[in-house]
Amino acid sequence: MKNNILSVLIIIIFFGNVTAQHKGNYDQISRQNVLHSGNATIYNPTVQQQITKTLNPNTHVFIDVKALQNVEATTYTAIFNISQIGPTADSTNLLINQRIDKIKNQLKSIGITDDDFAVDVISFVPNYEIEVQKKLFSKTYTEVPNGFELQQNLHIQFTKTNQFETILTACAKSEIYNLVKVDYYIENIAEVYKNLQTKLLKLIEEKKAYYKVLGFDLADYNVAIADDQYCYFPKDFYQSYQAFNSVSFEAIHKKKGVTAVKKQTSYYYQPLSYENYDVVVNPSILEPVVQIGMNIRLQYSPKPKEVKAEPVVKTEIKHKYYVVSPNGTLDIKALQTD
C-alpha cells in the first residue's frame, strides 16, 4: 500500500514538473542580465493582481476602443551581405557572380526564380600596398593596387517561411553567412485597416446603446474624436536575455574549481500583449507576424441648455391734443415725445 502511494506521489510530482516547463526558462534568468533589443518593451512575466480602482462619476462620457489584427506577411525579403576580393576588377566581379549563380541554381528547386533576386552594389574599391624602390642614395615608397574588394547586398524574395531554411543552406554553401535582416511585406494592408474600422464602429454602436439603457442619450451630447492607426513588424519585438545559472557537474565530481564561461545570449519573439485591446483578430499565432492596430477615442460633453428669452411687452401711449379755433373748428394733433 505504501509503495502504491509513493508511486502516485512520484507521478504527480513528475507531471507537475512537466506542466511547469510550459512557461519556459525566461522566469529563471536574472533581471539584471536582461538585454534590451529594438523598440519593444520587456513585459513582466508575473501575472499581477488586478486592483479594484475607485470609479469617479463624470458628466462626460468617454468611449475608447482598440483593435489589433495579426497578419501573416504576403512576401518576405532576406538580405545577405557579400564581400569578395580578387587580383583584378574583372576577376573579382566574376568570382562574386559565380557564388550568386550557384545560389540561384540551388533555390530553383523550391520555386525561387531569377526574378526573385536583386543585387545592390555597396562598394567596389582597390586595395593598395607599399612598393619600395631602392636607388643609389634613397628609397622611394609608392602605393600600388594589389587587388580589389567588392561588396554587395543580395536580396532574395520568398513567400513561405519554410523556404528560409533552404535559403540559408544555399548561401552557406557559397560561403555567405552575413544575414543583414528579413523584411515583411503585406499587399492588402488597406483592407486590414478597413476590417478593423468596421469592427470598431460596430463596437461603438454597442457601447452607445449600453449608455442609452443607463439613461444617457448621446444624441444630446457634443462629441470630439481622436483616432490612430499603426503597424509593427517582428524586428521591433525580439527580446534577448542571458542565462543566470552557471553549474559545473564535472567540477563537483572531480572536486575541481569552476571555470566561468561566457553566457549564451538567447532571443525570443514577444508580440504586443492583448490585455488592452477590445478586439483581436487572429489572436492565435504560430510564427512572427505583422501586428496592425487602430484606436478610436470619443468624448461626449453635455450640450449647454438653451435659455429662452422672455418676450418684452412695450406699452406705447400716444397723446393727442385737441385745438379749438376761435371760429369753433376742432383740430386734432399728435404729441411729439422725442
Side-chain angles (χ1 to χ4, degrees):
M1 183 65 181
K2 293 182 179 180
N3 293 334
N4 293 336
I5 296 175
L6 181 60
S7 300
V8 172
L9 291 176
I10 293 175
I11 293 174
I12 293 174
I13 295 172
F14 173 77
F15 282 103
N17 291 336
V18 172
T19 304
Q21 286 302 314
H22 283 269
K23 67 180 181 178
N25 296 325
Y26 180 73
D27 291 346
Q28 307 301 325
I29 66 173
S30 170
R31 301 300 298 173
Q32 297 178 353
N33 289 336
V34 175
L35 302 178
H36 296 270
S37 175
N39 298 324
T41 304
I42 292 185
Y43 300 99
N44 189 350
T46 305
V47 179
Q48 303 293 338
Q49 294 182 353
Q50 295 295 331
I51 302 176
T52 304
K53 297 181 180 179
T54 303
L55 299 179
N56 297 320
N58 197 334
T59 57
H60 294 74
V61 177
F62 297 91
I63 296 180
D64 194 358
V65 291
K66 299 180 180 180
L68 182 71
Q69 182 167 343
N70 295 320
V71 184
E72 293 184 2
T74 308
T75 58
Y76 309 85
T77 299
I79 302 177
F80 294 86
N81 180 264
I82 312 173
S83 180
Q84 179 66 56
I85 60 175
T88 63
D90 293 337
S91 62
T92 304
N93 190 45
L94 179 62
L95 290 172
I96 200 169
N97 286 335
Q98 289 177 349
R99 296 167 68 185
I100 295 176
D101 291 339
K102 184 179 179 181
I103 297 174
K104 291 181 179 180
N105 294 331
Q106 293 180 6
L107 296 183
K108 286 181 180 179
S109 59
I110 60 173
I112 298 178
T113 64
D114 292 346
D115 295 334
D116 298 321
F117 287 82
V119 175
D120 180 18
V121 179
I122 304 301
S123 64
F124 191 28
V125 294
N127 292 325
Y128 293 91
E129 66 177 6
I130 303 298
E131 184 181 74
V132 181
Q133 295 181 353
K134 295 182 179 181
K135 296 183 179 180
L136 183 59
F137 297 106
S138 64
K139 292 182 180 179
T140 303
Y141 300 90
T142 307
E143 283 188 340
V144 294
N146 67 335
F148 292 83
E149 181 182 5
L150 174 61
Q151 281 200 39
Q152 295 181 351
N153 282 343
L154 178 62
H155 299 236
I156 305 175
Q157 181 176 278
F158 57 101
T159 57
K160 299 178 181 178
T161 54
N162 56 11
Q163 296 174 317
F164 189 53
E165 184 177 354
T166 306
I167 294 174
L168 288 176
T169 303
C171 291
K173 290 180 179 179
S174 295
E175 298 180 353
I176 299 174
Y177 312 106
N178 189 0
L179 173 63
V180 180
K181 63 176 181 176
V182 178
D183 289 327
Y184 289 61
Y185 297 96
I186 301 175
E187 293 182 357
N188 58 343
I189 190 170
E191 296 181 5
V192 176
Y193 282 123
K194 186 177 180 180
N195 180 46
L196 294 178
Q197 180 181 350
T198 302
K199 292 185 178 297
L200 287 182
L201 291 177
K202 181 180 178 181
L203 182 60
I204 289 173
E205 292 300 323
E206 293 176 356
K207 287 182 176 290
K208 290 171 68 176
Y210 166 73
Y211 284 116
K212 190 172 183 179
V213 173
L214 295 178
F216 296 90
D217 189 356
L218 298 183
D220 300 331
Y221 286 71
N222 293 324
V223 60
I225 184 174
D227 61 348
D228 184 28
Q229 61 186 30
Y230 47 87
C231 179
Y232 290 118
F233 293 90
K235 64 182 179 62
D236 298 320
F237 290 94
Y238 271 93
Q239 302 297 321
S240 59
Y241 68 93
Q242 289 181 337
F244 174 72
N245 294 328
S246 179
V247 180
S248 176
F249 291 100
E250 183 180 356
I252 295 176
H253 294 299
K254 295 183 178 181
K255 297 181 180 181
K256 292 183 178 181
V258 177
T259 302
V261 296
K262 182 179 179 181
K263 305 296 188 301
Q264 180 182 1
T265 301
S266 301
Y267 295 85
Y268 66 99
Y269 173 62
Q270 177 64 59
L272 288 174
S273 175
Y274 303 154
E275 58 185 353
N276 295 324
Y277 288 92
D278 302 285
V279 177
V280 179
V281 183
N282 301 330
S284 179
I285 58 176
L286 179 63
E287 60 187 39
V289 293
V290 180
Q291 294 189 296
I292 301 176
M294 179 177 290
N295 304 337
I296 298 179
R297 181 177 177 84
L298 301 174
Q299 177 180 337
Y300 291 89
S301 305
K303 292 182 179 179
K305 296 182 179 180
E306 297 181 359
V307 180
K308 296 183 179 180
E310 297 182 357
V312 178
V313 180
K314 184 177 181 182
T315 304
E316 184 177 357
I317 301 176
K318 296 183 179 181
H319 299 277
K320 296 181 180 180
Y321 289 89
Y322 298 88
V323 180
V324 180
S325 62
N327 57 5
T329 60
L330 184 64
D331 187 10
I332 301 174
K333 294 183 177 180
L335 177 63
Q336 300 292 332
T337 59
D338 52 354

